[in-house]
Amino acid sequence: MPLRRGATPRTPPAVRPRPVSSAAEIDAGRVAKSRARSARDIPDWMRIVLNGTVIVVFWNHLWFSDLSDRSLLEAAESGSLLTQATFIGLGLAMGAALWRLGIERLRPLLSWPILLCAGWLALTILTSVEPLLSIRRSILLLIAAMLAAGILVVARSARQFALTLAGSALIIVVSSFLAVALVPHLAVHSAFDVQAEPEHAGLWRGIFPHKNEAGSVMVILILVGLYVAATASRFYGWTIVVLSAIFLIGTNSKTAMATLPVILVVTGLTQVFRGGAMRVLLLVAPILAFSVISIGSVFIPPVKDLLEAILKDATYTGRSEIWQFAVENILNRPLQGWGYGAFWLTERTMYGSATISTWVNSARHAHNAFLDAALTTGLPGLLFALLAYVYGPLRDLSRIAAGRTLDPTLMLFVRLWLFAMISASFESVLFNGNNPTCCMVMLAIFGLRLRTEHALVSR
């Protein structure tokens, strides 16, 4: 625009140069940031104690169960006060640690498969036949999930994580051996057990309530020992492997003993065949095979005939009766299910029908995680569970290590995941926060998820 006559031209404002930070100011800023990080840090001894306690509780928190106690035959809707107090206390401690370290570190866990599964589970709690019972039992699962994720954040490094696992493993396996030697009436199955078959007499269970649970934990300890040997200490790692293998033989847990070599062979092959599709096929094949062998023995006649010709007990010690009973009740409520934790060991199941055999009405779960998911959360819940427990981890693994070998931490996560998925054909390990395999598979799934964003417990 032209100036008016007599007007004085306006001088443009001077541009102030941006001050250049001195070396001293830069150093001061770095020191301030370092102090801020230190203020939110947790001492190593606190990290180890917290994680070690959580891991031991995951593996077993009800030591020296007296299986001759006839009160075990009663309905257990009220739950264990010791279990509830233990998990609530650890949940508060882990919550405080996560708040101090930064709760935002858990943000990668908000993936759509996990959110869909959690959202549907919450919805079925509201439609449960026993809503209060479902809410109470779901709180335990929620705390267990938070603890599993918290372990990965609290661990400062892979070495610290491995050493914490090693200490926890030695506590469990050494205590189990001492229990068998010093208090055999509380550590070895006998003919007086009210919740075990007579043929279990003489089999080791150590500090665990059942030889099958002891066997599952011993497999987990063997996998942990291999990780410790590869990451922190060969001596401690192989000591854990040998002791756990000996105790596993003493349990004579057939499912655990049959599963272990499959896991080691399949995960070993994933180091050779590194292509995404081939690796996924290797990991999915045994899951499908065990599913067909278990449920197929009941509902697929050719499979049933083949197993009867090969196996001495094609009913898997009476599990087929439970599976048939579970399927019948899935069909009664196929959409919403009966509600989380609101079916087994309730008065409806135990005393609702005089025609149900004792083995079925005293069962604690369906002895098949996929059937239990459909039974308690409906068929949509089963679909969402498969997305969260199978599709999600395989997708994350492909993103992390497609075409590359698996480092020891990734290998541990994959082995724990595969063990749980195979065990799901014979035990309820997907939505049971009171089960060691369930807790460890949540840790494995969360570990794979977090590794897609951060190098947690990988340094």
Side-chain angles (χ1 to χ4, degrees):
M1 181 181 294
L3 294 174
R4 291 177 298 163
R5 183 176 298 178
T8 303
R10 301 176 67 179
T11 303
V15 178
R16 296 181 180 180
R18 180 177 298 175
V20 179
S21 300
S22 65
E25 290 174 333
I26 294 174
D27 291 340
R30 290 174 178 173
V31 170
K33 291 180 180 179
S34 177
R35 288 177 178 174
R37 285 193 297 267
S38 299
R40 299 183 66 182
D41 196 13
I42 296 177
D44 283 343
W45 71 267
M46 292 182 65
R47 294 172 183 260
I48 293 171
V49 169
L50 177 57
N51 275 354
T53 303
V54 171
I55 291 167
V56 169
V57 168
F58 271 179
W59 290 338
N60 189 28
H61 57 275
L62 296 174
W63 291 29
F64 303 114
S65 302
D66 182 6
L67 298 188
S68 64
D69 185 358
R70 299 194 65 82
S71 65
L72 296 173
L73 297 176
E74 299 174 0
E77 296 184 15
S78 59
S80 168
L81 292 178
L82 176 61
T83 298
Q84 295 166 8
T86 301
F87 274 82
I88 290 174
L90 288 175
L92 292 174
M94 184 63 77
L98 290 174
W99 184 264
R100 185 172 182 83
L101 294 173
I103 200 73
E104 67 276 1
R105 298 189 184 192
L106 298 178
R107 189 174 294 114
L109 300 183
L110 301 179
S111 66
W112 66 266
I114 293 177
L115 290 176
L116 273 177
C117 184
W120 183 262
L121 182 63
L123 181 63
T124 57
I125 289 172
L126 300 178
T127 61
S128 169
V129 294
E130 297 284 352
L132 295 179
L133 179 61
S134 294
I135 291 173
R136 187 171 68 249
R137 291 182 172 175
S138 65
I139 291 174
L140 176 65
L141 177 64
L142 179 63
I143 294 175
M146 184 193 70
L147 292 173
I151 290 172
L152 302 167
V153 174
V154 170
R156 190 183 297 277
S157 65
R159 180 176 176 80
Q160 186 185 95
F161 180 55
L163 290 175
T164 304
L165 286 170
S168 303
L170 287 172
I171 290 174
I172 293 293
V173 71
V174 171
S175 298
S176 293
F177 274 107
L178 290 175
V180 170
L182 302 178
V183 285
H185 63 287
L186 296 176
V188 179
H189 281 292
S190 73
F192 300 101
D193 295 349
V194 297
Q195 284 193 326
E197 293 75 34
E199 58 269 22
H200 288 173
L203 299 180
W204 295 357
R205 60 185 178 92
I207 60 174
F208 299 90
H210 195 275
K211 62 103 177 176
N212 285 342
E213 188 170 334
S216 296
V217 173
M218 292 305 138
V219 171
I220 292 173
L221 297 191
I222 290 172
L223 302 180
V224 165
L226 294 173
Y227 173 64
V228 172
T231 307
S233 169
R234 290 184 179 179
F235 174 76
Y236 288 121
W238 285 107
T239 298
I240 293 169
V241 170
V242 172
L243 292 178
S244 302
I246 293 172
F247 202 93
L248 174 61
I249 295 172
T251 67
N252 194 32
S253 179
K254 297 181 179 63
T255 301
M257 294 171 68
T259 302
L260 178 60
V262 174
I263 295 169
L264 297 179
V265 170
V266 170
T267 55
L269 289 175
T270 60
Q271 296 288 58
V272 179
F273 301 97
R274 306 175 190 175
M278 189 61 186
R279 184 175 276 170
V280 168
L281 180 62
L282 281 170
L283 294 172
V284 170
I287 301 173
L288 292 175
F290 276 89
S291 296
V292 171
I293 290 173
S294 59
I295 301 299
S297 67
V298 178
F299 302 104
I300 304 177
V303 174
K304 181 179 180 181
D305 295 340
L306 177 62
L307 292 175
E308 286 179 347
I310 297 175
L311 300 178
K312 180 179 179 181
D313 178 19
T315 68
Y316 299 101
T317 319
R319 282 184 172 93
S320 59
E321 297 177 22
I322 300 178
W323 295 337
Q324 290 175 331
F325 179 65
V327 169
E328 291 172 3
N329 283 277
I330 289 171
L331 297 178
N332 289 335
R333 292 173 67 93
L335 180 61
Q336 73 276 36
W338 292 83
Y340 176 73
F343 187 78
W344 302 106
L345 286 185
T346 62
E347 293 189 359
R348 175 184 295 100
T349 305
M350 300 186 75
Y351 313 122
S353 174
T355 61
I356 304 175
S357 68
T358 303
W359 170 243
V360 172
N361 62 22
S362 63
R364 293 180 174 273
H365 48 79
H367 286 278
N368 184 288
F370 305 118
L371 286 182
D372 255 336
L375 186 66
T376 57
T377 65
L379 295 177
L382 173 60
L383 173 61
F384 296 144
L386 292 174
L387 289 174
Y389 281 89
V390 179
Y391 169 76
L394 290 174
R395 180 194 61 174
D396 292 337
L397 179 63
S398 297
R399 290 179 177 178
I400 300 166
R404 300 189 298 275
T405 58
L406 306 182
D407 61 62
T409 304
L410 275 178
M411 179 60 77
L412 174 66
F413 292 156
V414 172
R415 284 172 170 169
L416 290 173
W417 171 83
L418 183 59
F419 172 61
M421 292 301 99
I422 293 177
S423 300
S425 294
F426 301 98
E427 303 295 338
S428 184
V429 297
L430 297 187
F431 293 131
N432 186 357
N434 208 18
N435 180 280
T437 305
C438 175
C439 294
M440 296 310 290
V441 74
M442 287 193 293
L443 183 145
I445 291 172
F446 294 157
L448 291 170
R449 184 92 278 276
L450 290 172
R451 284 288 295 272
T452 61
E453 300 290 339
H454 307 292
L456 296 180
V457 294
S458 64
R459 298 182 295 277

